[in-house]
Amino acid sequence: MSESTTVPATLLEPTSRWSGFLGSVGRAVRPASFGADPTGERLERILRSPNFRDGSFRNSEPARMIVQKGMVREYFFGADRRQRYPRAPIAVYPDTAVDLARPSDTGLRTTWMGHATVFVEIDGHRVLFDPVWGKRCSPFTFAGPGRFHPVPVALDALDPDVVVISHDHYDHLDMPSIRALVASRAVFAVPLGVGAHLEHWGVPAGRIVELDWDESAEVAGLGLTATPARHFCGRGIRNGTHTLWASWVVAGAEHRVFHSGDTGYFAGFATIGAQHGPFDLTMVQIGAYSEFWPDIHMTPEEGVQAHADLAGAALLPIHWGTFNLALHPWNEPADRTLASARQAGARVAIPRPGEPFEPTLTAPTAAWWR
């Protein structure tokens, strides 16, 4: 059996007498994509948070990562690595811009752009979750996981009222996309601490709403609540413990939706469902799972259970089909989610990237991924 060890899913702070010096050097040379460390009043809010203990944000239920010898080698050189990529580039839905130019029939229309990026039109307002338009989810343009498919529509065609960020990992918080959205009118809703990155990239402080778990705000006529998730954060060498991760509830006048961000399965879903549900749509992470990190990403079956806990009507699986971030075949999450949803009697929608649909009317399930 391979050697393995279990470690908490957090980044460790340096403890030697050189930590201050190394931190100063790191801040001086690190690329802009690493973001910035929280300071001032933002840092004071973090230190006062009930979710920040012993120098770090903490999950309500402990989360493990199992570091096993040969794990990295398997990811890059494993015999099954070809299954983690589609045989040909994925064809996105061709008429996204045309369809979005028409008014929604029901007041709730959803467009999955790939991975965890979702554009939601809800009761006359436009919300963009975790926008990643970059070719790679990486701090660098020349290395890191690349896209399986192009973005379905230009970012400047969406004109969101609100941009919601679940956490600061590179496949959810993309610096070039944020910088492009500065030119929009959007307000940015982020978990506590993440606002430091956005200000570093040019977002005015007055357009950032920063929330701790279970805090709410009214933004652009919508009710937004940052709800718990079971994950971790960090983009740079030393800012991993001072940014929070979150799931999100967005409530309009007639509809409400849930976006899970990244999360392991935990009892908090039932609490969120009881306090904020039922939901017309849940957008739930079902990809990039592994036995090596069982508590920070859900399996498809756990995602379907989370949808049930949340009292969701329609389920949109997210966090799959765009980047190679785990050891499973690239299209396995869709098949497993569909099978589990059918067994549970859940209504699941698996649209092609860029295909708008109205969750209260339709649930596209044509098996394009096969």
Side-chain angles (χ1 to χ4, degrees):
M1 183 176 293
S2 301
E3 296 178 8
S4 64
T5 184
T6 302
V7 299
T10 57
L11 300 180
L12 301 180
E13 285 285 289
T15 57
S16 77
R17 60 195 179 96
W18 295 100
S19 61
F21 171 75
L22 292 174
S24 298
V25 172
R27 284 188 290 272
V29 301
R30 70 186 182 191
S33 58
F34 277 22
D37 300 318
T39 59
E41 174 55 27
R42 177 176 284 115
L43 181 57
E44 291 300 318
R45 282 190 65 196
I46 290 169
L47 297 177
R48 292 194 302 265
S49 168
N51 303 303
F52 189 86
R53 300 184 299 277
D54 301 324
S56 177
F57 280 112
R58 302 289 177 177
N59 286 297
S60 59
E61 297 180 21
R64 300 161 295 153
M65 290 186 68
I66 302 169
V67 179
Q68 188 166 8
K69 187 177 180 180
M71 219 170 73
V72 175
R73 183 177 65 250
E74 181 66 22
Y75 177 82
F76 286 105
F77 305 110
D80 62 348
R81 66 188 184 280
R82 293 182 181 178
Q83 299 180 36
R84 302 200 295 269
Y85 299 88
R87 294 180 180 178
I90 295 170
V92 301
Y93 183 76
D95 298 320
T96 306
V98 174
D99 285 4
L100 292 180
R102 305 188 188 103
S104 164
D105 291 329
T106 64
L108 179 63
R109 182 166 59 190
T110 306
T111 310
W112 178 58
M113 300 294 178
H115 200 57
T117 303
V118 189
F119 182 59
V120 176
E121 299 161 275
I122 177 170
D123 299 335
H125 306 284
R126 294 178 293 277
V127 183
L128 182 59
F129 291 92
D130 286 357
V132 176
W133 259 249
K135 292 183 179 180
R136 298 181 183 275
C137 55
S138 167
F140 310 108
T141 58
F142 56 85
R147 284 185 166 274
F148 298 162
H149 61 81
V151 291
V153 67
L155 183 56
D156 59 10
L158 298 180
D159 190 25
D161 300 302
V162 186
V163 174
V164 176
I165 304 297
S166 64
H167 64 297
D168 69 1
H169 286 159
Y170 288 94
D171 56 323
H172 296 258
L173 180 59
D174 178 54
M175 181 186 71
S177 300
I178 297 299
R179 283 180 164 174
L181 286 162
V182 173
S184 74
R185 59 179 179 176
V187 175
F188 295 79
V190 302
L192 190 55
V194 176
H197 300 318
L198 272 59
E199 285 193 49
H200 187 61
W201 299 332
V203 179
R207 288 171 56 191
I208 300 173
V209 175
E210 206 160 347
L211 300 179
D212 201 348
W213 288 345
D214 299 316
E215 289 184 342
S216 301
E218 184 172 332
V219 181
L222 296 168
L224 272 65
T225 303
T227 44
R230 191 184 186 192
H231 200 56
F232 68 109
C233 260
R235 302 175 67 82
I237 297 171
R238 284 181 50 83
N239 61 14
T241 62
H242 288 72
T243 51
L244 185 61
W245 50 97
S247 56
W248 286 88
V249 171
V250 176
E254 297 183 12
H255 299 91
R256 64 181 55 224
V257 300
F258 173 85
H259 189 283
S260 72
D262 275 2
T263 181
Y265 182 77
F266 73 125
F269 290 121
T271 302
I272 295 168
Q275 292 179 346
H276 302 283
F279 295 99
D280 299 286
L281 175 73
T282 67
M283 297 161 272
V284 177
Q285 171 265 310
I286 52 88
Y289 45 85
S290 172
E291 61 184 1
F292 298 127
W293 47 87
D295 299 331
I296 62 170
H297 283 165
M298 290 189 289
T299 65
E301 293 77 17
E302 289 172 327
V304 171
Q305 182 59 56
H307 167 75
D309 294 348
L310 290 159
L315 165 63
L316 172 64
I318 62 171
H319 205 266
W320 76 284
T322 303
F323 300 109
N324 171 27
L325 300 176
L327 299 177
H328 59 68
W330 79 272
N331 54 3
E332 180 182 275
D335 283 327
R336 286 177 57 175
T337 300
L338 193 58
S340 180
R342 285 173 174 167
Q343 185 175 9
R347 193 160 67 92
V348 61
I350 311 183
R352 186 179 292 275
E355 180 182 0
F357 72 100
E358 312 232 1
T360 59
L361 294 180
T362 59
T365 56
W368 57 266
W369 59 90
R370 296 174 185 164

